[in-house]
Amino acid sequence: IVVPTTPAQYFHALRRQIHTAVRKPLVMFTPKSLLRTRASFSGVDLLTDGKFRKVIGDDEVTANARRVLLCTGKVYYDLAKHREDISAGDVAIVRVEQLYPLAEDALAEELAPHEGAELFWVQEEPENMGAWRYMYWRLHHRLGWEVREVTRARSASPATGSFKVHTQEQHELVAKAFT
């Protein structure tokens, strides 16, 4: 199960799937809105020379963050923009590009420079949906890390049905991740 955040990641996930010796289903979640998000665009060099990265660390906050936000998908771009807007240079954002099987070693490697930082899982979906429960179990029970969630309130539906309400909830969610 992968959630690529760039066209290069999408390409390399498909390419990896074709070249793998063991045939398994690939489940890929890719929101259409990333097609219009300029920050997600990939250069040709990432397509020709790159490879699929299961976890993508933060290039801006490389060590000693006070808070680490783990996320997947397009919420990364909202978090990165908000961090830039409020100049929160002590908050690292790490993207989990492959949810299952979780690349625990790669995740541990990306989190190692931020030892002692608060760890949060951020997702757009309500608390009772999305990857939160799965990630909590893996991070807390398997790896022994304390992790808290930043999610929308529990809900019977994944979306509000109103763009205006969704936008307001999204702003609140992103702000909550930094406070």
Side-chain angles (χ1 to χ4, degrees):
I1 300 175
V2 297
V3 188
T5 55
T6 67
Q9 282 287 94
Y10 180 85
F11 169 76
H12 289 297
L14 292 175
R15 187 170 181 266
R16 181 183 72 169
Q17 185 71 9
I18 291 168
H19 291 292
T20 187
V22 178
R23 293 289 174 212
K24 293 181 185 178
L26 173 66
V27 178
M28 188 177 298
F29 297 103
T30 56
K32 291 184 292 187
S33 65
L34 282 182
L35 295 172
R36 297 179 302 273
T37 305
R38 184 163 298 282
S40 74
F41 295 178
S42 299
V44 174
D45 59 322
L46 290 174
L47 292 166
T48 58
D49 299 329
K51 66 175 190 166
F52 183 76
R53 297 167 56 193
K54 297 174 183 177
V55 177
I56 300 176
D58 197 326
D59 293 335
E60 293 185 30
V61 182
T62 56
N64 302 321
R66 73 170 170 83
R67 176 176 291 207
V68 177
L69 305 176
L70 295 173
C71 65
T72 190
K74 68 184 180 108
V75 73
Y76 165 77
Y77 295 102
D78 294 335
L79 293 169
K81 180 167 181 352
H82 187 74
R83 177 177 64 186
E84 182 182 319
D85 291 346
I86 66 169
S87 300
D90 58 350
V91 178
I93 306 170
V94 176
R95 291 178 272 180
V96 179
E97 298 278 300
Q98 179 173 302
L99 287 171
Y100 185 86
L102 185 63
E104 295 172 359
D105 293 340
L107 192 53
E109 184 179 316
E110 291 297 338
L111 295 178
H114 309 292
E115 190 174 339
E118 295 178 295
L119 187 60
F120 288 85
W121 174 258
V122 182
Q123 70 179 29
E124 293 183 274
E125 297 85 8
E127 180 186 359
N128 58 324
M129 298 179 194
W132 161 238
R133 297 283 179 207
Y134 167 75
M135 290 301 291
Y136 175 77
W137 189 87
R138 300 296 283 202
L139 297 172
H140 182 72
H141 295 290
R142 294 243 342 196
L143 301 174
W145 298 336
E146 284 298 321
V147 60
R148 291 180 277 175
E149 85 280 3
V150 177
T151 65
R152 285 184 162 80
R154 292 170 138 320
S155 175
S157 87
T160 63
S162 164
F163 180 73
K164 188 175 181 179
V165 173
H166 170 77
T167 303
Q168 178 61 33
E169 285 182 352
Q170 188 72 2
H171 289 300
E172 291 170 5
L173 176 88
V174 169
K176 184 179 172 186
F178 287 86
T179 57

